[in-house]
Amino acid sequence: MPGTPLTVRYFAGARAAAGRAEEAVPGGRSLDDLTAELSQRHGDRLAGVLRVASFLVNGVTCHDRQAPLPAGATIDVLPPFAGG
């Protein structure tokens, strides 16, 4: 049974790969489950970004990708950034 919807926000290259800045997805899942669904939904380009991205859950770095995401959470997808 899906939980409260989650908001996924895409930044930089993740936004370009997903073709959108954000989307709502059903809750009741882990980050690994979510990234698998997003890869399936948006294709190989986003899948490649998700493999190397960092994720914030409600503004906090996610270290346990198997833990259930909190109901109504906002997940930020942060691809590696070039800098110097």
Side-chain angles (χ1 to χ4, degrees), residues 1-2 5 8 14 23 25 31 39 50 58 63-65 74 79 81 83:
M1 172 174 87
V8 179
E23 66 184 305
V25 297
L31 185 59
S39 295
L50 295 174
N58 292 332
H63 295 288
D64 184 356
R65 295 175 58 105
T74 297
F81 293 97

Side-chain angles (χ1 to χ4, degrees), residues 33-54:
D33 294 336
L34 175 62
T35 57
E37 178 187 320
L38 295 173
S39 295
Q40 176 85 23
R41 182 183 297 181
H42 296 292
D44 291 341
R45 186 171 173 206
L46 183 61
V49 172
L50 295 174
R51 279 193 290 276
V52 296
S54 297

Side-chain angles (χ1 to χ4, degrees), residues 8-11 15 18-23:
V8 179
R9 298 189 306 184
Y10 300 103
F11 293 88
R15 179 181 293 183
R20 64 193 66 214
E22 73 176 50
E23 66 184 305

